[in-house]
Amino acid sequence: IIEKHQRRFQSDGLKCSESTEKEDALTSVIFHCNLPGPLNTELEFNCREPSCGALEAKEKAVKLTVEDYAVDPNFFDEGYALAGATGFKVWTGSRLMIETLAWPQNEDCEGLKEIQRRISSGARLIELGSGVGVVGTYLSAIGSQVLLTDLSTLVENAIEPNLVRNEKIMASTSTISSSDEYSCPWWIAPDGIRLGKGWANCTPLDWTVPLDEQLTKDQSSSIDFIIASDVVFLASMMNSLLHTVDTIFNASASNNPSFILSFQRRDAKDGEGSAAFTTVDGVIAAVELRGWSLGCLAWRPVTVRKETEGEVTDELSEVFVFEIKP
């Protein structure tokens, strides 16, 4: 499934960095990443912590002091737990997902080239576990129609504000002509936001609650691609994620959707036998148990720089982008 030639080297044109922003004495980390094209437009995402593994060695990273870390204001929100708290920062898989889908390389296989073409040409995407919204916003800006989803706390405090932030950025640099289609796509209307060449909207989605109680029929039945980045680091999250994917597969069966998942191998003392952390073998086994197929679109070795309350450590790992089909 994972072959040497699928290793994806860094795209020369993509540049990411971090800066800080203070508001009411609270420090936020701003994650920056540029779009393809001559304008080199830079998207911005307000996060609560520095990214983990999303920056290359020479890119500007932020290091917070102990004083910069505030008590999590959403700690007591309903349904909020470790899985929600991790959504307020950018992770390794987000970068590889962006590079794989938005920055074509000559060595890309024909299947990946077709995915890239469709994503830049108006494909309808639903993103599960959007976090601060980096991947969904980015793919919207290059031409997709994207519905970003996560727990309500993240939608209200991260995704929606970051969509509005980038709507203003894109509006100030837009080169869209008056002849381009400006009406919001029906399946994410009426509140969709125009972002560059595409559209985006967001809505809460809890994988443990039936999908038909959270999405409209138009939303669940219109999907070309399901995308998710670094969302199943805990083994306990895998079944609920795949159940949600299965429901969308069935609802959008006429579109023949596929599920594109980025996943970082995480170190554990018991390796592939880890009971707590999702492993590569665990992902493959869970997919095959449902009778689905899995292929690797890209992978890359990474050095993950972790910061915990001011202490920085480096760890070696790998990150993958899988395509899963029913």
Side-chain angles (χ1 to χ4, degrees):
I1 294 175
I2 301 166
E3 299 182 13
K4 185 176 181 179
H5 72 270
Q6 295 162 336
R7 174 173 176 172
R8 193 172 193 86
F9 292 93
Q10 181 186 358
S11 300
D12 291 336
L14 178 62
K15 305 298 180 186
C16 302
S17 62
E18 291 173 341
S19 62
T20 56
E21 187 173 277
K22 279 188 176 289
E23 183 176 352
D24 298 329
L26 295 176
T27 301
S28 296
V29 175
I30 308 301
F31 184 83
H32 306 260
C33 53
N34 66 303
L35 293 170
L39 293 180
N40 207 36
T41 302
E42 190 175 83
L43 301 182
E44 298 179 357
F45 300 89
N46 191 309
C47 313
R48 290 187 179 168
E49 298 181 26
S51 60
C52 181
L55 298 177
E56 297 294 334
K58 294 183 179 180
E59 293 176 334
K60 182 183 177 183
V62 162
K63 181 179 178 181
L64 299 183
T65 65
V66 174
E67 290 74 20
D68 289 325
Y69 286 92
V71 175
D72 188 339
N74 304 110
F75 185 79
F76 294 104
D77 288 2
E78 183 178 356
Y80 189 67
L82 175 61
T86 59
F88 283 102
K89 64 192 297 181
V90 182
W91 295 85
T92 314
S94 295
R95 183 178 188 130
L96 186 59
M97 181 78 90
I98 286 172
E99 291 196 46
T100 302
L101 301 181
W103 290 82
Q105 296 183 359
N106 293 333
E107 299 79 10
D108 292 339
C109 67
E110 290 305 314
L112 177 54
K113 289 179 181 178
E114 176 62 13
I115 293 172
Q116 293 164 345
R117 184 196 65 77
R118 293 178 63 192
I119 282 179
S120 63
S121 304
R124 296 186 291 268
L125 280 60
I126 184 168
E127 183 178 22
L128 306 179
S130 297
V132 297
V134 173
V135 175
T137 303
Y138 200 100
L139 297 182
S140 170
I142 68 167
S144 290
Q145 302 170 16
V146 186
L147 180 63
L148 293 85
T149 72
D150 212 313
L151 298 175
S152 58
T153 296
L154 281 149
V155 171
E156 295 168 9
N157 296 285
I159 299 171
E160 192 167 16
N162 280 329
L163 283 176
V164 172
R165 183 184 189 113
N166 285 292
E167 179 186 26
K168 294 176 181 177
I169 291 173
M170 296 300 297
S172 66
T173 61
S174 177
T175 59
I176 299 173
S177 69
S178 58
S179 63
D180 284 317
E181 181 56 59
Y182 268 85
S183 60
C184 180
W186 53 273
W187 73 284
I188 54 172
D191 302 319
I193 293 175
R194 181 75 179 190
L195 286 172
K197 298 178 181 179
W199 290 85
N201 202 349
C202 58
T203 191
L205 184 62
D206 184 333
W207 305 341
T208 66
V209 177
L211 202 73
D212 60 6
E213 296 179 14
Q214 304 178 85
L215 299 183
T216 67
K217 183 177 180 180
D218 284 343
Q219 290 170 341
S220 60
S221 64
S222 302
I223 305 304
D224 297 313
F225 295 100
I226 307 163
I227 58 172
S229 301
D230 270 326
V231 295
V232 285
F233 64 97
L234 294 176
S236 58
M237 303 165 69
M238 179 61 72
N239 283 337
S240 56
L241 169 67
L242 294 187
H243 178 72
T244 300
V245 170
D246 188 37
T247 304
I248 298 172
F249 275 163
N250 291 327
S252 294
S254 60
N255 298 332
N256 193 28
S258 62
F259 174 35
I260 302 177
L261 171 71
S262 72
F263 174 77
Q264 179 197 327
R265 186 194 301 275
R266 283 178 167 80
D267 294 332
K269 291 181 180 179
D270 44 359
E272 284 294 336
S274 174
F277 293 95
T278 307
T279 63
V280 175
D281 286 351
V283 171
I284 295 171
V287 167
E288 292 180 343
L289 186 63
R290 291 177 176 267
W292 300 344
S293 64
L294 179 148
C296 182
L297 296 176
W299 70 274
R300 175 184 297 164
V302 291
T303 299
V304 180
R305 178 163 294 181
K306 296 182 178 181
E307 180 178 346
T308 305
E309 295 185 350
E311 183 179 350
V312 178
T313 58
D314 288 341
E315 295 182 6
L316 297 178
S317 184
E318 299 90 32
V319 61
F320 308 89
V321 174
F322 297 124
E323 182 185 20
I324 299 168
K325 297 182 177 181

